[in-house]
Amino acid sequence: MKKFNYIIVGAGCSGLSLAYEMNVKNLFNDKTCAIIDKRKEFNRDKIWSYWNIYEHSFYDCLINKWDKFCVKKNQNEIILDCENFQYQSIDSQKFYKKILDNLNSNKNIKLILNKSVDKIYENKDEAIVQCSDEIFRTDIIFNSSLDNKTTKESELFQHFYGCEVVFDENVNLPEYPIIMDFNCNQDSWVHFFYTLPMGKNKIFIENTWISNEKSFAFERYIAEINYYIQNNLNYKKKYKTNYSEIGSIPMFHFKNNMKYKKIINIGTAGNLTRKSTGYTFLNIQKSVKQIVINISKKQSIKESSVSLKYNYLDNIFIKVLLEKKGSMYEVFFDLFKKNKTKDIVKFLSNTSNWFEDLRIILSMPKLIFIKKLLNL
C-alpha cells in the first residue's frame, strides 16, 4: 500500500482545478498528493464556456471571448449584449498544460495515469482507493469520478457531439456564439446546435440533444452535423475537422447515500452541475477555492452543491420539459426573448436574486409552470 496525505480521483476539470489551487497556495509544500485517472494522456478534449461573472485562475487559457451571443428559432434570431459579463470559452489543451506545468514543479505531487479505480471507501483512520492491481491509503479523498455512480432509466441527459470545422473557402459564418439554434428536427425531445466562431473559416459546431437516452449512435451525430453545415450554414463542399468531443451531462443530481467524512465529491460527482443547463465550470472554480480556504484555516471540508433555490426551480423546469418535450424549444426561445440579458445570465449562472427569478418565471408559460409548481 502507498500512503498520501491527499488523493484526487479524476484528472478532469474539477480534479485538476483543485490540485492547481492547492499547489499555488503552497498546501503541498509539506504534504503529498496523488492524482489518479484512467486516461493515458492529456489531449484537447473539451471546451468549457460560461459568462464571466466570477474571477478564476484560467483567463490565459481562453480560446476567445465575445460581448454578444444569440439564439435562433425558425427565421427569428435574438442577439443579446453581454459586454459587462462576456461569454468566454476555455481551451482544455491550454488548461491542461498550464496546470500540469505547475504540478510537475512539485515533487510531492504524483500523477498516476492509466489507472482505473474500482472502489473508494473509508475506515476510522483513513480513506482507501482500491484499484485492480494496487491500493492507496490517504487522509482524505477528493472524488470527481462518475464511474461508480448509478442512474435510473427515466433520468434525462444533455448529450452531445461537437467538432471544430475548417472550410476550404470563405463562408458567411456567425459573428457571435449561437448558444441555441433550434432550426433542426426536435424528434419529440429537445434538439439544438451550439456554435462558436473560431476564425475566418473555422467554427466549432456542437450537436446537442436533451433526452432520456445517455447518448445516440455516433453516426447520427455526424449525419446531423453534416445536414446543419449544408442547410443552416449553406456550405455544400468538403470540409475537415481538427478536433472533436463527445459527452453526456446528467440533468439530475446523484444521491450519495453513504455519509463520509474523508471522501469529498467534487465537480459533477459533487452535484455542481446545474440540472437545467449543464453549466459547471464556474461552480467548480468557486468550490475548489472554498476547499482551499477551509484547508488553509484548518476548517472542516464540506461538499459544495448548487443551492436549494436553483435545484427547486430546475426541478420545476425539468417537469415542464418532460411534458412539453418536442415543443420545449418554444419555452427556451421565450426565455431569451422576453427577459433582460442581465437577468438571464444571472439566473443561468446562479447569481440571481428572487426578484430577478420572479421576472424569469413570469416570462414562462404560466399555466403549465404553476401546475408543475403545485405538484412538487
Side-chain angles (χ1 to χ4, degrees), residues 9 14 17 23 41 50 55 60 82 104 106 137 179 245 247 256 283-284 290 293 297 304 325 339 344 365:
V9 177
S14 57
S17 294
N23 197 39
E41 57 187 355
Y50 55 89
E55 294 293 318
D60 52 348
C82 59
N104 288 336
N106 190 334
R137 298 159 50 230
I179 64 170
E245 64 176 85
N256 298 314
N283 294 342
I284 287 172
Q290 186 59 53
I293 290 171
K297 293 183 176 181
S304 301
K325 289 185 180 178
N339 292 283
I344 297 169

Side-chain angles (χ1 to χ4, degrees), residues 165-210:
V165 178
V166 181
F167 302 101
D168 293 333
E169 300 178 6
N170 290 336
V171 185
N172 186 24
L173 295 176
E175 185 177 356
Y176 306 111
I178 304 174
I179 64 170
M180 286 181 158
D181 186 343
F182 292 110
N183 291 310
C184 51
N185 172 39
Q186 298 302 303
D187 197 22
S188 300
W189 282 103
V190 180
H191 182 204
F192 60 90
F193 283 84
Y194 168 88
T195 68
L196 297 173
M198 310 290 282
K200 188 175 181 180
N201 295 323
K202 188 190 303 183
I203 187 171
F204 177 78
I205 304 175
E206 185 176 280
N207 180 11
T208 304
W209 282 88
I210 295 175

Side-chain angles (χ1 to χ4, degrees), residues 116-203:
S116 294
V117 172
D118 296 329
K119 185 179 180 182
I120 59 174
Y121 59 97
E122 67 177 40
N123 55 35
K124 291 183 179 180
D125 302 317
E126 60 191 3
I128 310 294
V129 176
Q130 182 176 313
C131 303
S132 59
D133 59 346
E134 202 166 4
I135 294 177
F136 302 91
R137 298 159 50 230
T138 183
D139 300 319
I140 188 166
I141 295 170
F142 295 103
N143 175 48
S144 66
S145 174
L146 300 179
D147 286 350
N148 296 313
K149 298 286 187 180
T150 57
T151 62
K152 300 176 183 177
E153 289 185 3
S154 59
E155 302 287 12
L156 293 182
F157 295 86
Q158 182 181 145
H159 52 93
F160 57 87
Y161 169 83
C163 56
E164 185 180 88
V165 178
V166 181
F167 302 101
D168 293 333
E169 300 178 6
N170 290 336
V171 185
N172 186 24
L173 295 176
E175 185 177 356
Y176 306 111
I178 304 174
I179 64 170
M180 286 181 158
D181 186 343
F182 292 110
N183 291 310
C184 51
N185 172 39
Q186 298 302 303
D187 197 22
S188 300
W189 282 103
V190 180
H191 182 204
F192 60 90
F193 283 84
Y194 168 88
T195 68
L196 297 173
M198 310 290 282
K200 188 175 181 180
N201 295 323
K202 188 190 303 183
I203 187 171

